[in-house]
Amino acid sequence: MVNFLIFGPPGSGKGTQSVKLAEKFNLLHLSTGDMLRAEIAAGTELGKKMSSIMSKGELVPDEVVIEMIAYKIDHSKGIAGFLFDGFPRTVAQTIALEKMLNDRKMKIDNMLVLDVDHDELVKRLVARAELSGRPDDKDPAVIENRIDVYKSKTEPIIAYCREKGIYQPVKGMGTIDDIFERLCGFMEKFV
Ligand code: B4P
């Protein structure tokens, strides 16, 4: 099994690229954002509780997403590995993921970090709001808060992973296909 993190600020293209990468490398794409939105769409108790947190652009509690990911890891078969998208988002989530994988004789093999200019992030999310109707894309103040939350709570993971030798910066500007080719170039070294 080979396991990757795809990492970057909101709007950096994590979800977009993950779908293509998972298909190419036979990885299971695990997006905590998608899992949480599915809970909201299904009207579950958890979804109702998480919805107001997400619409403000804040992070949901660590234990909620850790539990979701642990369940998926233990109920997946026939894949070459996992592609974690939007998880981990805090150092505590990173430590929990490492433990989950280590306990199952796996590890994080590499972390691919998409680097995108601030103005481009905002432009992409505003454009997506038109199509997705996502409440967290609609309000520019919420978009700015998501970027601030990324800088304060999520970005410290980079230093943590770099220490462990699992950090690969990737230019995230340009066309979706160009960025995909760049990511494939780095992932092919591991699969
Ligand atoms: P996510 O679903 O992870 O949302 P995101 O950061 O906006 O990224 P996403 O992957 O969807 O978008 P992408 O950049 O691909 O999280 C949503 C919320 O859920 C969080 O704010 C938080 O509240 C909660 N949450 C999720 N995981 C959590 C966790 N682990 N812990 C705590 N809370 C958690 O794409 C953006 C747009 O750009 C798209 O429209 C795309 O088409 C476009 N785009 C992509 N690449 C492009 C390119 N190269 N050129 C032009 N447009 C491009």
Side-chain angles (χ1 to χ4, degrees), residues 8-18 31-34 36-37 50 53-55 57-62 65 85-90 93 114 120-121 124-125 127-129 131 134 136-137 146 172-177 179:
S12 57
K14 303 181 297 285
T16 306
Q17 296 294 337
S18 293
S31 158
T32 40
D34 288 350
L36 291 163
R37 282 186 291 277
M50 298 306 120
I53 302 176
M54 290 170 70
S55 62
E58 296 294 328
L59 296 182
V60 309
D62 287 339
V65 284
D85 160 15
F87 178 89
R89 259 180 159 92
T90 61
Q93 290 179 23
L114 291 166
E120 174 70 11
L121 297 175
R124 288 182 190 175
L125 294 174
R128 180 170 67 182
L131 302 168
R134 268 176 60 170
D136 57 344
D137 288 344
R146 286 161 65 195
M173 301 285 287
T175 69
I176 289 171
D177 286 345
I179 299 161

Side-chain angles (χ1 to χ4, degrees), residues 37-48:
R37 282 186 291 277
E39 293 284 337
I40 295 172
T44 65
E45 280 310 308
L46 179 68
K48 283 178 198 153

Side-chain angles (χ1 to χ4, degrees), residues 21-41:
L21 293 166
E23 191 187 357
K24 180 172 167 88
F25 295 105
N26 185 31
L27 302 170
L28 184 67
H29 172 206
L30 293 179
S31 158
T32 40
D34 288 350
M35 291 178 210
L36 291 163
R37 282 186 291 277
E39 293 284 337
I40 295 172

